[in-house]
């Protein structure tokens, strides 16, 4: 995103990942602008980002549409500048226009954005659902006979009071869409071509604070974080990296309860009835970009307690290792629940002087680390 030029997000049946204000203060160890896209390997083993890709193709499916599943999304009322686009926040609610376009029919399964501000999940409201929630779903009209452009195209008005920030700050805003949120993956009609949430892309912007926002009463979210730790160890593999790679790339991986996600025809990972989840995540590479690691169960963050924010700092020559223990005592296994982990940058878009930072750290973007459904014991 050196200039954050527009690119077309094409839906492939692989994890697609991507991302792009001034550097924030260091975290504690205890614990209208274009969009871009990239790719990363699936869960478990080392995953590394590469320079943004522009296209890809999926095998034809019973949803048919051109034999390819493509689309894009972005906030369309941002103010462009040389580093990245931005919003001026002058108080009250910030009004943003979220555009979703695609080749597939989301008029039944629905699609909606998840927002992050300074790496923190950001609740918002819409005209049709005027209450604050972390996810609102809309059902865009589908026009199968369209000859030019996308069959699905609609703008969603979103409104939010920033959950963080004060006058003088410039904080980064990201977004990723999800779809099929109410559909059971065991349903024969379940079609993973509509799993926008299985793909990831950012719509980066900054929010420049001309005023300090009022305190927002946040939606109620159960605190499901039992503990989290951040530790650092030397990483010998970095000795073979070039200076450019050390500046511009990162690698990461994860396991859950010591296992990689099993590969199968189903998105359901069985065997989690009331068993606490231990997510082990590591990252190493460029030390410039700082992140948060956000986990979702059923499209809600697993905690909104400030003490549970998992800050991710990458140190020169070291591997950052993070462990998060997550409560599953309310899960009886009768209905699969989705689980998603997202790595959200906090200082990738612009240096403190306002110039673009992404071009120097292009491989350290917004990452959707995993998405699948937890299931109960196999019968």
């Amino acid at each position: 995103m050196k200039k954050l030029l527009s690119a077309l997000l094409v839906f492939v049946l692989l994890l697609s990942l991507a991302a792009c204000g001034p550097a924030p203060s260091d975290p504690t160890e205890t614990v209208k602008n274009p969009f871009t896209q990239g790719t990363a390997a699936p869960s478990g083993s080392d995953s590394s980002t590469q320079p943004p890709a522009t296209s890809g193709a999926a095998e034809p499916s019973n949803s048919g549409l051109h034999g390819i599943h493509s689309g894009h999304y972005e906030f369309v009322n941002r103010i462009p500048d040389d580093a990245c686009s931005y919003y001026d926040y002058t108080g009250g609610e910030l009004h943003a226009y979220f555009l979703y376009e695609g080749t597939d029919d989301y008029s039944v399964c629905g699609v909606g954005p998840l927002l992050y501000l300074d790496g923190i999940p950001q609740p918002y409201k819409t005209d049709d659902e005027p209450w604050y929630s972390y996810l609102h779903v809309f059902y865009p009209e589908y026009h199968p006979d369209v000859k030019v452009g996308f069959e699905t195209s609609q703008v969603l008005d979103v409104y939010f009071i920033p959950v963080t920030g004060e006058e003088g700050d410039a904080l980064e805003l990201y977004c990723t869409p999800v779809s099929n949120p109410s559909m059971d993956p065991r349903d024969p009609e379940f079609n993973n071509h509509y799993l926008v949430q299985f793909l990831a892309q950012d719509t980066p912007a900054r929010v420049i604070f001309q005023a300090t926002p009022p305190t927002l009463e946040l939606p109620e979210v159960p605190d499901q974080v039992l503990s989290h730790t951040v530790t650092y160890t030397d990483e010998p593999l970095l000795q073979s990296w070039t200076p450019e790679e050390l500046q511009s790339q990162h690698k990461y991986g994860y396991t859950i309860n010591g296992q990689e996600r099993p590969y199968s025809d189903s998105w359901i990972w069985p065997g989690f009835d009331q068993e606490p989840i231990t997510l082990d995540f590591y990252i190493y590479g460029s030390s410039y970009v700082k992140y948060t690691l956000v986990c979702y169960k059923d499209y809600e963050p697993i905690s909104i307690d400030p003490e549970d924010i998992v800050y991710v700092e990458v140190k020169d020559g070291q591997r950052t290792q993070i462990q998060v223990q997550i409560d599953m005592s309310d899960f009886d296994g009768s209905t699969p629940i989705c689980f998603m982990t997202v790595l959200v940058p906090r200082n990738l878009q612009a240096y403190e002087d306002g110039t673009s930072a992404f071009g120097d750290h292009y491989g350290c973007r917004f990452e959707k680390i995993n998405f699948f459904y937890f299931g109960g014991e196999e019968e």
Side-chain angles (χ1 to χ4, degrees):
M1 305 186 242
K2 184 145 193 175
K3 293 288 186 179
L4 294 171
L5 299 176
S6 296
L8 176 67
L9 172 65
V10 177
F11 293 171
V12 295
L13 298 180
L14 298 171
L15 285 173
S16 293
L17 304 162
C20 153
S25 59
D26 290 335
T28 60
E29 293 186 5
T30 54
V31 219
K32 191 150 173 182
N33 186 52
F35 59 94
T36 60
Q37 71 147 24
T39 60
S43 64
S45 57
D46 276 0
S47 303
S48 62
T49 56
Q50 300 297 330
T54 58
S55 67
E59 292 296 323
S61 76
N62 55 13
S63 58
L65 311 174
H66 306 168
I68 198 168
H69 303 271
S70 62
H72 93 268
Y73 60 92
E74 62 176 319
F75 289 121
V76 292
N77 62 326
R78 294 163 288 166
I79 304 168
D81 65 5
D82 289 338
C84 184
S85 63
Y86 67 95
Y87 290 103
D88 268 327
Y89 178 74
T90 58
E93 291 184 335
L94 193 154
H95 181 192
Y97 306 147
F98 173 78
L99 169 68
Y100 181 79
E101 297 180 308
T103 58
D104 292 317
D105 181 3
Y106 291 93
S107 63
V108 176
C109 66
V111 62
L114 295 170
L115 308 186
Y116 313 86
L117 182 62
D118 195 29
I120 300 172
Q122 172 69 61
Y124 63 95
K125 63 184 185 180
T126 69
D127 290 327
D128 292 336
E129 297 180 344
W131 57 84
Y132 275 94
S133 177
Y134 290 98
L135 174 64
H136 293 273
V137 180
F138 67 109
Y139 301 87
E141 293 182 2
Y142 179 61
H143 303 283
D145 298 326
V146 67
K147 301 300 183 185
V148 178
F150 291 104
E151 290 89 336
T152 295
S153 180
Q154 188 164 329
V155 173
L156 179 70
D157 290 58
V158 302
Y159 308 84
F160 64 89
I161 295 175
V163 294
T164 185
E166 60 184 20
E167 185 177 357
D169 286 344
L171 304 180
E172 299 192 10
L173 177 70
Y174 289 88
C175 167
T176 191
V178 299
S179 68
N180 273 356
S182 61
M183 194 166 190
D184 190 326
R186 300 170 300 182
D187 189 322
E189 298 300 316
F190 182 79
N191 186 338
N192 62 23
H193 285 299
Y194 292 135
L195 281 179
V196 178
Q197 70 267 51
F198 179 52
L199 304 151
Q201 166 196 18
D202 63 334
T203 55
R206 290 164 294 154
V207 177
I208 298 178
F209 287 77
Q210 311 296 339
T212 297
T215 300
L216 174 65
E217 184 176 348
L218 298 174
E220 256 186 66
V221 170
D223 188 342
Q224 300 172 85
V225 175
L226 300 176
S227 66
H228 79 269
T229 58
V230 182
T231 58
Y232 304 91
T233 58
D234 291 339
E235 181 47 75
L237 292 173
L238 289 169
Q239 295 175 13
S240 65
W241 286 33
T242 66
E244 183 193 32
E245 289 172 332
L246 289 170
Q247 175 173 277
S248 65
Q249 299 291 324
H250 69 202
K251 285 194 174 184
Y252 66 82
Y254 80 94
T255 62
I256 291 178
N257 290 1
Q259 301 180 61
E260 300 179 9
R261 177 184 177 274
Y263 291 96
S264 68
D265 292 335
S266 173
W267 294 112
I268 303 174
W269 188 355
F272 289 90
D273 300 51
Q274 300 182 325
E275 179 185 357
I277 298 168
T278 299
L279 169 69
D280 286 292
F281 171 81
Y282 68 83
I283 185 172
Y284 57 90
S286 172
S287 62
Y288 172 73
V289 182
K290 296 177 173 62
Y291 308 88
T292 62
L293 191 70
V294 183
C295 296
Y296 289 88
K297 282 171 60 179
D298 273 352
Y299 308 103
E300 281 192 341
I302 58 174
S303 176
I304 56 174
D305 187 331
E307 293 184 356
D308 291 332
I309 298 174
V310 182
Y311 290 107
V312 182
E313 181 179 4
V314 184
K315 296 187 176 183
D316 286 332
Q318 293 191 309
R319 173 187 291 233
T320 302
Q321 300 183 151
I322 295 170
Q323 185 173 93
V324 184
Q325 292 188 314
I326 304 168
D327 183 23
M328 293 284 283
S329 61
D330 61 344
F331 176 57
D332 63 8
S334 60
T335 303
I337 61 170
C338 68
F339 182 80
M340 182 171 65
T341 307
V342 184
L343 188 67
V344 188
R346 301 177 64 216
N347 65 328
L348 180 56
Q349 295 180 31
Y351 289 117
E352 289 186 356
D353 63 1
T355 59
S356 177
F358 179 77
D360 295 330
H361 312 284
Y362 60 82
C364 304
R365 301 180 296 269
F366 179 104
E367 306 275 7
K368 188 168 293 182
I369 304 304
N370 59 53
F371 175 84
F372 50 80
Y373 291 84
F374 282 125
E377 294 296 338
E378 289 184 294
E379 298 181 2

